[in-house]
Amino acid sequence: MAWLKKTYATQLPENLYSVQAPVPVGNPEMVLYNEALADDLGVTQYFKEKEEAMRYLSGNEIVPGSQPIAQAYAGHQFGHFNRLGDGRAVLLGEMETSRGLYDLQLKGSGQTAYSRRGDGRATFYSMLREYLISEAMHALRIPTTRSLAVVKTTDPVYREQINEGAVLSRVAASHIRVGTFEYARYLGQREDLEALLRYTIERHYPELFDHQNHALALLGKVMQKQKDLVVDWLRVGFIHGVMNTDNMTISGETIDYGPCAFMNAYHPKTVFSSIDTGGRYSYANQPNIAYWNLRVFASTLIPLIDKDEKLAGKKAQEVLEQFPGDFSQAYFEMMGNKLGIVNPGEGIRDLVQEGMVLLAEQKVDYTNFFTELRRDGELINKLRKVEAFEAWYAKWEEARVHGTTVSESEALMAQNNPVVIPRNHLVEEVLNSAVTGDMGPFYAFLEKLTSPYDDGISLQSVPADFDAGYQTFCGT
Ligand code: AMP
Ligand code: MG
């Protein structure tokens, strides 16, 4: 019963991957299994027995007919080029679903040809974190890789301390990254790059085959997807934390939940990652970095854009130049939605910018602000005692009823402003319980995060200075 396809391994040149079985783990225990996702993907039939599913999703048994591989890629990490690849993951294969092919990958599944000095493993803590936050992102209606299962093992994973290990099953529209193109370009064979381009377009954007310049069309498409994605991140206060080019997908899905975190008090320079000392990946710098990464992507496509390199560069530049303007337009539209402004006029940019300055000055919680604004809650009463805010509030009140009704405005706000998000202190609390043996709080929080826009739910509180000392870490 070969239900996993092998399109990546069969359609792409061999130097873009290496055949690699997952390394078995000791005493696997399926701690999380996402039945809703399994149903949605239509794979429930293959996972009838939970025991059987666990054998496959721990990597202890290979799905019949599948040929696991580790994918090769490169990437600019904090601006520097490196050869990378799946150092602790294997692609089991692709599932045929109603929405096209989806990758089924195991993460934390042992060493591969690309592990460098890494152990190929992942801690139970960090795989639970990825499961929780990626599923929260999905519920927030933000494109993301999904999590199908977490299988805990008793094999020790050595970091600063000894930890329990786990294998996460990750589902993605694909794991093709900007870094995959960088790797193909780095190899220096035009055919490799061409094969990757063809495979990528066929898999994600077959409509682009109608364009006369496929590479240029793909650049434009990826640019639009990344614009929409980062706008969505800014909408909910998400800080990815490590937007290296190897962590940027061609599908436009959020990937790699290592050091990510959600902003509480609004400040554009917010950063949580311990290694991001320069703020390269801070909240408000994310659009600039997306643009930087897209320029790297464009550079990999040059040989396929035009035989004349100079001309190719010019053509790529013309596409890239659209990004800042398109982004800014989409950003203000999104912020207008958050503010419940159904018919934004010329003034929307000023209104948003002035509002955000006030939020930063007053250290207002980003998420709660918009919900309280809609509910006319206590937080707003307090802020209105500040003269500058009161003046802003009057402008906002006028703008929101321009050519529409308060109830329409409220509906728009409810759709665009989550009430619950994976707050840092809550994430940490439930993960700490989980690793000390009590999964209860994790399950309860996960349940809450699956309906983030529900009305009538109470605001989440934020400990006053929790985030001041909060740090996240890569590759745990
Ligand atoms: P990341 O920071 O998670 O995007 O990972 C960057 C690179 O390091 C990727 O090539 C990963 O596969 C690799 N990597 C991260 N952690 C490990 C590990 N424990 N063992 C081997 N490779 C790893
Ligand atoms: Mg990564």
Side-chain angles (χ1 to χ4, degrees):
M1 168 201 57
W3 57 275
L4 276 178
K5 301 201 171 258
K6 304 181 262 199
T7 69
Y8 201 91
T10 52
Q11 295 175 25
L12 286 170
E14 278 173 23
N15 48 13
L16 290 183
Y17 62 89
S18 40
V19 172
Q20 174 70 60
V23 182
V25 293
N27 303 305
E29 180 195 342
M30 185 111 85
V31 176
L32 287 161
Y33 181 62
N34 194 336
E35 269 172 52
L37 176 60
D39 264 350
D40 183 52
L41 294 167
V43 298
T44 320
Q45 52 183 314
Y46 305 111
F47 286 145
K48 264 189 232 104
E49 306 282 329
K50 226 174 157 187
E51 268 302 308
E52 191 184 3
M54 189 177 77
R55 288 199 300 275
Y56 297 143
L57 299 180
S58 59
N60 284 4
E61 206 171 291
I62 308 254
V63 175
S66 116
Q67 186 197 49
I69 57 170
Q71 292 173 309
Y73 53 87
H76 277 79
Q77 300 178 296
F78 286 88
H80 303 284
F81 180 85
N82 287 306
R83 284 179 70 166
L84 303 162
D86 289 333
R88 55 165 174 175
V90 291
L91 176 68
L92 296 184
E94 301 99 19
M95 300 170 277
E96 184 106 60
T97 78
S98 56
R99 277 171 281 122
L101 292 181
Y102 273 79
D103 278 5
L104 179 57
Q105 191 203 58
L106 300 184
K107 182 169 173 181
S109 52
Q111 286 178 322
T112 73
Y114 314 110
S115 296
R116 296 171 292 163
R117 268 163 300 177
D119 60 2
R121 292 299 179 190
T123 63
F124 181 44
Y125 184 99
S126 62
M127 294 304 95
L128 286 176
R129 193 171 192 276
E130 169 152 350
Y131 189 107
L132 188 78
I133 301 184
S134 63
E135 288 306 298
M137 290 289 271
H138 174 71
L140 287 164
R141 298 191 305 265
I142 298 179
T144 176
T145 63
R146 302 284 306 274
S147 298
L148 181 61
V150 172
V151 177
K152 184 164 95 165
T153 92
T154 51
D155 298 346
V157 176
Y158 301 95
R159 297 290 181 261
E160 267 118 70
Q161 318 130 314
I162 302 178
N163 302 272
E164 282 180 310
V167 179
L168 173 86
S169 323
R170 181 158 74 177
V171 170
S174 87
H175 286 82
I176 303 170
R177 310 145 190 265
V178 166
T180 316
F181 279 83
E182 288 180 77
Y183 189 75
R185 177 76 199 269
Y186 164 86
L187 291 175
Q189 305 289 336
R190 188 195 161 90
E191 309 82 72
D192 295 341
L193 199 55
E194 240 164 11
L196 181 61
L197 178 76
R198 204 174 326 111
Y199 178 84
T200 303
I201 294 184
E202 193 168 308
R203 186 149 173 192
H204 293 295
Y205 312 114
E207 69 278 10
L208 300 185
F209 282 129
D210 293 342
H211 286 247
Q212 53 175 0
N213 193 321
H214 297 165
L216 214 51
L218 183 65
L219 174 62
K221 185 60 130 184
V222 172
M223 206 168 89
Q224 176 213 324
K225 290 276 173 179
Q226 288 300 327
K227 173 201 72 182
D228 291 344
L229 182 65
V230 176
V231 165
D232 249 347
W233 289 355
L234 299 187
R235 176 170 66 84
V236 300
F238 178 76
I239 301 164
H240 183 283
V242 63
M243 287 175 72
N244 296 332
T245 53
D246 50 302
N247 293 333
M248 184 189 256
T249 60
I250 300 301
S251 67
E253 291 180 326
T254 311
I255 193 171
D256 223 320
Y257 286 88
C260 67
F262 278 76
M263 179 167 65
N264 292 306
Y266 176 78
H267 198 288
K269 295 202 166 138
T270 308
V271 141
F272 293 109
S273 167
S274 62
I275 57 171
D276 190 6
T277 46
R280 180 179 169 92
Y281 301 138
S282 64
Y283 173 77
N285 208 34
Q286 296 182 113
N288 300 329
I289 293 298
Y291 191 31
W292 194 95
N293 290 350
L294 288 163
R295 293 202 292 270
V296 171
F297 182 48
S299 75
T300 70
L301 297 172
I302 291 294
L304 304 183
I305 292 176
D306 201 290
K307 277 192 221 88
D308 176 345
E309 206 171 290
K310 231 173 157 184
L311 191 58
K314 207 168 142 245
K315 286 180 181 169
Q317 188 56 25
E318 275 165 20
V319 174
L320 286 167
E321 266 167 16
Q322 308 288 317
F323 186 83
D326 288 357
F327 189 91
S328 153
Q329 168 109 17
Y331 171 77
F332 286 107
E333 198 172 297
M334 173 279 286
M335 292 303 285
N337 291 341
K338 279 177 82 69
L339 290 169
I341 299 184
V342 178
N343 298 306
E346 280 299 305
I348 185 70
R349 289 177 183 237
D350 286 346
L351 187 72
V352 168
Q353 272 159 349
E354 287 164 21
M356 300 321 280
V357 168
L358 289 166
L359 291 197
E361 271 171 18
Q362 302 292 321
K363 300 188 170 60
V364 180
D365 183 81
Y366 181 65
T367 298
N368 288 351
F369 173 76
F370 291 95
T371 298
E372 284 287 84
L373 191 64
R374 174 166 58 90
R375 293 177 179 172
D376 198 17
E378 194 45 46
L379 175 63
I380 302 302
N381 291 339
K382 240 171 67 193
L383 281 170
R384 288 182 64 182
K385 300 202 169 90
V386 178
E387 207 178 309
F389 184 84
E390 179 62 13
W392 179 88
Y393 186 88
K395 274 199 252 178
W396 169 72
E397 262 193 320
E398 200 184 303
R400 76 181 303 212
V401 292
H402 182 71
T404 184
T405 60
V406 168
S407 71
E408 262 189 297
S409 163
E410 276 177 5
L412 187 64
M413 292 173 90
Q415 269 168 33
N416 287 283
N417 296 305
V419 185
V420 291
I421 53 166
R423 303 252 182 200
N424 304 329
H425 67 292
L426 298 175
V427 170
E428 193 151 304
E429 203 176 290
V430 303
L431 292 182
N432 285 332
S433 290
V435 295
T436 49
D438 182 8
M439 284 295 294
F442 182 99
Y443 296 137
F445 191 36
L446 180 63
E447 175 69 31
K448 271 200 189 141
L449 290 169
T450 57
S451 307
Y453 298 100
D454 261 5
D455 207 1
I457 37 183
S458 36
L459 294 181
Q460 293 173 299
S461 60
V462 202
D465 54 0
F466 179 86
D467 280 349
Y470 186 65
Q471 277 203 322
T472 58
F473 301 90
C474 281
T476 39

mmCIF file of all heavy atoms in Angstrom, residues 73 77 84 107 170 177 242 246-247 255-256, ligand 2:
data_model
loop_
_atom_site.group_PDB
_atom_site.id
_atom_site.type_symbol
_atom_site.label_atom_id
_atom_site.label_comp_id
_atom_site.label_asym_id
_atom_site.label_seq_id
_atom_site.Cartn_x
_atom_site.Cartn_y
_atom_site.Cartn_z
ATOM 1 N N TYR A 73 19.816 21.966 1.051
ATOM 2 C CA TYR A 73 19.562 23.377 0.778
ATOM 3 C C TYR A 73 20.709 24.203 1.330
ATOM 4 O O TYR A 73 21.589 23.683 2.030
ATOM 5 C CB TYR A 73 18.210 23.856 1.313
ATOM 6 C CG TYR A 73 17.915 23.577 2.779
ATOM 7 C CD1 TYR A 73 18.327 24.477 3.768
ATOM 8 C CD2 TYR A 73 17.219 22.445 3.172
ATOM 9 C CE1 TYR A 73 18.027 24.242 5.108
ATOM 10 C CE2 TYR A 73 16.927 22.202 4.512
ATOM 11 C CZ TYR A 73 17.334 23.103 5.476
ATOM 12 O OH TYR A 73 17.049 22.864 6.793
ATOM 13 N N GLN A 77 22.251 32.891 6.585
ATOM 14 C CA GLN A 77 21.892 32.961 8.002
ATOM 15 C C GLN A 77 22.467 34.251 8.562
ATOM 16 O O GLN A 77 23.672 34.452 8.506
ATOM 17 C CB GLN A 77 22.477 31.746 8.738
ATOM 18 C CG GLN A 77 21.938 30.417 8.170
ATOM 19 C CD GLN A 77 22.543 29.211 8.871
ATOM 20 O OE1 GLN A 77 23.739 28.979 8.795
ATOM 21 N NE2 GLN A 77 21.721 28.433 9.546
ATOM 22 N N LEU A 84 23.551 24.093 3.933
ATOM 23 C CA LEU A 84 22.814 23.510 5.060
ATOM 24 C C LEU A 84 22.199 22.174 4.633
ATOM 25 O O LEU A 84 22.897 21.302 4.176
ATOM 26 C CB LEU A 84 21.754 24.500 5.563
ATOM 27 C CG LEU A 84 22.298 25.869 5.981
ATOM 28 C CD1 LEU A 84 21.190 26.898 6.048
ATOM 29 C CD2 LEU A 84 22.982 25.758 7.332
ATOM 30 N N LYS A 107 10.751 15.473 11.978
ATOM 31 C CA LYS A 107 11.779 16.395 12.471
ATOM 32 C C LYS A 107 12.282 15.889 13.826
ATOM 33 O O LYS A 107 11.469 15.543 14.679
ATOM 34 C CB LYS A 107 11.150 17.796 12.605
ATOM 35 C CG LYS A 107 12.099 18.879 13.049
ATOM 36 C CD LYS A 107 11.451 20.246 12.898
ATOM 37 C CE LYS A 107 12.316 21.334 13.491
ATOM 38 N NZ LYS A 107 11.667 22.656 13.369
ATOM 39 N N ARG A 170 5.830 16.893 10.591
ATOM 40 C CA ARG A 170 5.488 18.201 10.036
ATOM 41 C C ARG A 170 4.875 18.021 8.650
ATOM 42 O O ARG A 170 5.373 17.243 7.843
ATOM 43 C CB ARG A 170 6.749 19.048 9.965
ATOM 44 C CG ARG A 170 6.521 20.434 9.418
ATOM 45 C CD ARG A 170 7.622 21.376 9.844
ATOM 46 N NE ARG A 170 8.871 21.149 9.127
ATOM 47 C CZ ARG A 170 9.966 21.899 9.301
ATOM 48 N NH1 ARG A 170 9.963 22.891 10.177
ATOM 49 N NH2 ARG A 170 11.072 21.641 8.634
ATOM 50 N N ARG A 177 12.518 25.885 -0.218
ATOM 51 C CA ARG A 177 12.840 27.169 0.408
ATOM 52 C C ARG A 177 13.575 28.066 -0.581
ATOM 53 O O ARG A 177 14.090 27.570 -1.598
ATOM 54 C CB ARG A 177 13.776 26.921 1.609
ATOM 55 C CG ARG A 177 13.289 25.850 2.544
ATOM 56 C CD ARG A 177 14.461 25.050 3.144
ATOM 57 N NE ARG A 177 13.969 23.868 3.867
ATOM 58 C CZ ARG A 177 13.739 23.832 5.160
ATOM 59 N NH1 ARG A 177 14.021 24.875 5.907
ATOM 60 N NH2 ARG A 177 13.254 22.747 5.739
ATOM 61 N N VAL A 242 13.890 34.160 13.144
ATOM 62 C CA VAL A 242 15.070 33.704 12.408
ATOM 63 C C VAL A 242 14.745 33.576 10.913
ATOM 64 O O VAL A 242 14.736 32.507 10.333
ATOM 65 C CB VAL A 242 15.690 32.429 13.033
ATOM 66 C CG1 VAL A 242 14.747 31.253 12.995
ATOM 67 C CG2 VAL A 242 17.029 32.075 12.393
ATOM 68 N N ASP A 246 16.902 30.179 4.367
ATOM 69 C CA ASP A 246 16.533 28.757 4.418
ATOM 70 C C ASP A 246 15.245 28.548 5.193
ATOM 71 O O ASP A 246 14.666 27.464 5.164
ATOM 72 C CB ASP A 246 17.664 27.931 5.055
ATOM 73 C CG ASP A 246 18.144 28.522 6.361
ATOM 74 O OD1 ASP A 246 18.581 29.682 6.367
ATOM 75 O OD2 ASP A 246 18.079 27.830 7.393
ATOM 76 N N ASN A 247 14.783 29.579 5.876
ATOM 77 C CA ASN A 247 13.529 29.475 6.612
ATOM 78 C C ASN A 247 12.426 30.263 5.932
ATOM 79 O O ASN A 247 11.447 30.667 6.572
ATOM 80 C CB ASN A 247 13.720 29.955 8.054
ATOM 81 C CG ASN A 247 14.637 29.036 8.836
ATOM 82 O OD1 ASN A 247 14.740 27.850 8.534
ATOM 83 N ND2 ASN A 247 15.314 29.578 9.835
ATOM 84 N N ILE A 255 7.426 28.826 8.317
ATOM 85 C CA ILE A 255 8.137 27.588 8.661
ATOM 86 C C ILE A 255 9.195 27.874 9.718
ATOM 87 O O ILE A 255 9.716 28.982 9.778
ATOM 88 C CB ILE A 255 8.805 26.950 7.410
ATOM 89 C CG1 ILE A 255 9.251 25.514 7.707
ATOM 90 C CG2 ILE A 255 9.974 27.783 6.899
ATOM 91 C CD1 ILE A 255 9.709 24.748 6.470
ATOM 92 N N ASP A 256 9.480 26.868 10.517
ATOM 93 C CA ASP A 256 10.551 26.887 11.493
ATOM 94 C C ASP A 256 10.207 27.733 12.713
ATOM 95 O O ASP A 256 10.384 28.948 12.717
ATOM 96 C CB ASP A 256 11.862 27.374 10.855
ATOM 97 C CG ASP A 256 13.006 26.517 11.322
ATOM 98 O OD1 ASP A 256 12.997 26.176 12.516
ATOM 99 O OD2 ASP A 256 13.879 26.175 10.515
HETATM 100 MG MG MG B 2 15.367 25.953 9.420
#
